[in-house]
């Protein structure tokens, strides 16, 4: 267990309450739009990096609307898409149908997956499992459900990158984290991933890469995009809804962050978001 990690809550009631809040958070806004409009290339990249082949049994953990699960199915794999927030599945089923593939959709907690040991050839997650609050519990489950010799493939936002700094910008205004929770972008730290997996994997490779976010034309428009579509941002604004001065300060800090991170010009706003691409083989 890493120095930043604490034990998951022992009370079933507390854990159910926490997971209900997480489900509501990701059901708010329009995460399928975020996945489709900002990061459509990441799912196929993860599938390729994970070496997924026809006939492989693949589990996508915290799959959302299937941004990695659907490309895995297109590669010929037998895919199960799991997520704590089944409200996202309708969009996923629609997208899968548009792509001419079929996969299984299962409501599941990444920290307590309802699947047998060693049941999958590959377990993947594209900026998904990183948001489970108890990192060690989630990592243990990823390893448990993949077969020996099978692949774990992840894409995680880094603490130093755009999304990591988006969370840093919101942190002074956000609800306090639950006891024992670790910051999601820690999954983008190489040392943290090594600690979580320990000696239970081999062939651990980690590469820092970037994806260009250029969906909006200027910082103020991009701020409103996050406020409208992204669950964590929506939750932060909702937490301060009764404090107009605080919302105004959050708006100003959010705009300053987006302006300072904009590497484009007057014609085209561009934000580069760093992520960590992780692949490993279970011993």
């Amino acid at each position: 267990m890493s120095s930043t990690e604490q034990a998951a809550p022992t009370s079933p009631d507390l854990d159910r309450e926490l997971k209900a809040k997480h489900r509501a958070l990701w059901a708010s806004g329009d995460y399928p739009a975020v996945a489709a409009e900002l990061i459509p290339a990441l799912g196929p990249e993860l599938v390729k990096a994970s070496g997924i082949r026809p006939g492989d049994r693949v589990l996508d953990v915290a799959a959302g609307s299937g941004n990695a699960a659907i490309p895995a199915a297109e590669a010929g794999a037998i895919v199960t898409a799991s997520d704590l927030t089944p409200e996202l599945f309708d969009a996923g089923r629609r997208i899968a149908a548009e792509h001419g593939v079929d996969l299984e959709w299962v409501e599941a907690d990444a920290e307590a997956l309802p699947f047998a040991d060693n049941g999958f050839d590959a377990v993947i997650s594209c900026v998904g499992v990183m948001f489970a609050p108890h990192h060690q519990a989630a990592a243990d489950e990823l390893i448990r459900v993949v077969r020996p010799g099978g692949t774990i493939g992840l894409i995680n936002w880094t603490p130093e990158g755009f999304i990591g700094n988006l969370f840093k910008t919101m942190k002074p205004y956000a609800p306090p984290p639950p006891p024992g929770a670790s910051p999601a972008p820690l999954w983008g730290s190489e040392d943290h991933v090594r600690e979580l997996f320990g000696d239970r994997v081999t062939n651990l490779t980690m590469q820092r890469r970037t994806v260009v976010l250029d969906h909006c034309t200027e910082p103020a428009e991009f701020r409103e995009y996050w406020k409208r579509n992204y669950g964590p941002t929506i939750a932060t604004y909702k937490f301060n809804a009764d404090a107009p001065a605080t919302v105004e300060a959050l708006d100003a800090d959010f705009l300053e962050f987006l302006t300072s991170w904009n590497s484009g010009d007057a014609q085209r706003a561009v934000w580069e978001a760093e992520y960590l691409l992780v692949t490993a083989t279970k011993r």
Side-chain angles (χ1 to χ4, degrees), residues 223-224 227 237 246-256:
R223 181 189 65 191
E224 297 309 304
K227 289 169 64 175
Y237 274 89
T246 305
V247 171
E248 185 177 348
L250 172 56
D251 265 347
D253 285 350
F254 207 158
L255 185 60
E256 181 181 356

Side-chain angles (χ1 to χ4, degrees), residues 269-282:
V270 171
W271 292 270
E272 295 186 5
E274 184 183 61
Y275 59 92
L276 187 69
L277 174 63
V278 180
T279 58
T281 304
K282 178 177 173 177

Side-chain angles (χ1 to χ4, degrees), residues 50-90:
S50 300
I52 290 171
R53 298 166 297 183
D56 282 351
R57 299 160 299 164
V58 175
L59 173 65
D60 186 356
V61 178
S65 51
N67 59 334
I70 291 169
E74 289 182 295
I78 303 163
V79 180
T80 300
S82 69
D83 201 283
L84 186 67
T85 307
E87 290 87 345
L88 302 174
F89 291 168
D90 285 345

